[in-house]
Amino acid sequence: MAKITPSHAINSLEAGVIPKKKNRLKARVAHNLDLYLIISIPLLVLLIYSYVPMLGIVIAFKNYRVFDGILDSKWVGLAHFRTLLTDPKFFSVLSNTMLINLFKFIFQFPLPIILALLLNEVRTGVVKRMTQTLTYLPHFLSWVVIAGIFVDILSPSTGIINGILKAFDISPITFLGDDSYFRSVLVASTAWKETGWSAIIYLAALTSIDPDLYAASSVDGAGKLRQTWHITLPGISSTIVFIIILRVSTLLGSDTEQVLLLYNPLVYGVGDVIGTYVYREGIQNGSYSYTTAVGLFVSVIGFTLMILANKISRKYSNRGIW
């Protein structure tokens, strides 16, 4: 009788297990082939339009010239990064971008939550649907339309706001040409455009809360405010944390289209953001390598902020994206 060594046993076991695993994998792919084909289309689009263009970041490390192409342009290493880190103009637009986004976060972030809580208390279906439709309708308007509306409303001569101020013998205010008001205009226009649309996320989260919790709290004598504080807000806290993490990652982002349509040289000191700075330096002045370095720098910082926000949320609230 032949003696079976441990090595023979392992080999025979692997020979029996691996084919079974391969067969199960093939069977699973064959069974869900239609689903794999469907998901392959958006994955291919994502690969072509989101990941392949990332190869262009090599421009940030070269002195890119259009006629030389990316491969033949001179390699300069970190020269453009040293330039931006010593450029006071870059730090000016960086601080403007962070301040504007911080103001948007502080003043705009609670509005969708408040709107969702108020809509959740409306019991008349028609009124609730009409209100929700009217509040998220501005989201579908382009910034070109919204900028035109705000320019007309805030006009020093014919605007509604200044017309009201004139009625009270108050001098007209140039909202779009005054450093003191321009950032407020950006925050207000963004809030008007996006509050209703953002509230949809919280309305969807509210539907996951068990209604029996409200019934039990009513029996215990809890009013609407206590129910909101102890049931509603904890029930949607994971959604709130998720949105906060995403918003933190965009603190260095900018609504370039919004700023381009509303600002002018009078408010460059407070309104010039990274997006408009990159537009002027890259498109108008042709500094492609330098502006690519700026974009890469901002992306790395934004990604780092998102990672930190996620770790902090997991540490203190046991919630996070991953």
Side-chain angles (χ1 to χ4, degrees):
M1 184 175 181
K3 185 178 179 180
I4 301 176
T5 62
S7 59
H8 286 123
I10 294 173
N11 292 335
S12 61
L13 182 62
E14 290 180 349
V17 172
I18 294 176
K20 287 183 179 180
K21 288 185 177 180
K22 290 183 178 179
N23 291 335
R24 285 201 299 268
L25 180 61
K26 289 181 180 179
R28 186 179 299 174
V29 172
H31 181 70
N32 300 303
L33 183 61
D34 52 345
L35 298 178
Y36 284 114
L37 290 176
I38 291 173
I39 199 174
S40 65
I41 298 174
L43 286 177
L44 184 62
V45 173
L46 183 68
L47 177 66
I48 294 175
Y49 292 101
S50 296
Y51 285 93
V52 173
M54 287 185 184
L55 299 175
I57 62 174
V58 71
I59 295 175
F61 304 94
K62 291 192 171 189
N63 188 15
Y64 176 71
R65 297 179 181 274
V66 176
F67 296 104
D68 292 338
I70 297 177
L71 297 178
D72 295 331
S73 296
K74 183 181 178 181
W75 181 271
V76 294
L78 300 176
H80 298 299
F81 294 93
R82 286 192 290 267
T83 301
L84 72 88
L85 291 175
T86 56
D87 186 3
K89 195 172 184 179
F90 170 74
F91 284 99
S92 174
V93 298
L94 181 64
S95 62
N96 286 341
T97 304
M98 293 188 67
L99 283 174
I100 291 173
N101 284 301
L102 186 62
F103 292 152
K104 286 182 179 180
F105 180 79
I106 293 173
F107 295 105
Q108 180 193 347
F109 181 76
L111 295 181
I113 302 175
I114 296 171
L115 179 60
L117 294 176
L118 293 176
L119 287 174
N120 192 53
E121 296 300 324
V122 178
R123 295 293 175 257
T124 307
V126 177
V127 176
K128 184 175 182 178
R129 287 193 295 271
M130 288 183 61
T131 304
Q132 188 174 350
T133 301
L134 290 175
T135 53
Y136 71 64
L137 186 62
H139 171 79
F140 298 98
L141 300 178
S142 69
W143 274 116
V144 177
V145 176
I146 293 176
I149 293 173
F150 272 80
V151 167
D152 289 338
I153 292 175
L154 302 176
S155 172
S157 56
T158 60
I160 297 174
I161 304 298
N162 279 301
I164 296 174
L165 294 178
K166 289 178 183 177
F168 289 95
D169 294 328
I170 300 176
S171 301
I173 300 174
T174 309
F175 290 97
L176 297 178
D178 192 329
D179 291 351
S180 303
Y181 295 97
F182 184 73
R183 288 173 177 166
S184 301
V185 172
L186 294 178
V187 174
S189 59
T190 303
W192 181 75
K193 185 177 188 294
E194 300 296 344
T195 296
W197 180 258
S198 300
I200 296 176
I201 301 174
Y202 299 106
L203 283 171
L206 288 171
T207 60
S208 64
I209 300 176
D210 188 358
D212 292 338
L213 296 175
Y214 294 104
S217 63
S218 298
V219 173
D220 292 337
K224 289 295 181 182
L225 290 178
R226 284 186 175 274
Q227 289 178 357
T228 300
W229 184 256
H230 294 287
I231 299 176
T232 306
L233 290 179
I236 62 174
S237 59
S238 59
T239 303
I240 295 174
V241 170
F242 178 77
I243 299 298
I244 288 176
I245 293 173
L246 295 181
R247 293 296 298 270
V248 167
S249 66
T250 60
L251 280 178
L252 293 182
S254 55
D255 292 322
T256 306
E257 186 180 0
Q258 175 197 19
V259 180
L260 276 175
L261 291 168
L262 290 174
Y263 86 150
N264 57 76
L266 295 175
V267 292
Y268 274 2
V270 297
D272 198 17
V273 294
I274 290 175
T276 55
Y277 177 69
V278 168
Y279 170 76
R280 287 199 314 276
E281 295 294 327
I283 304 300
Q284 295 182 344
N285 297 337
S287 302
Y288 302 110
S289 295
Y290 175 70
T291 51
T292 302
V294 171
L296 180 58
F297 176 80
V298 171
S299 298
V300 171
I301 298 299
F303 180 75
T304 304
L305 289 174
M306 184 179 67
I307 297 296
L308 291 176
N310 185 70
K311 286 186 176 297
I312 292 172
S313 67
R314 289 181 65 88
K315 181 177 180 181
Y316 292 101
S317 64
N318 295 322
R319 293 182 177 91
I321 296 179
W322 57 83

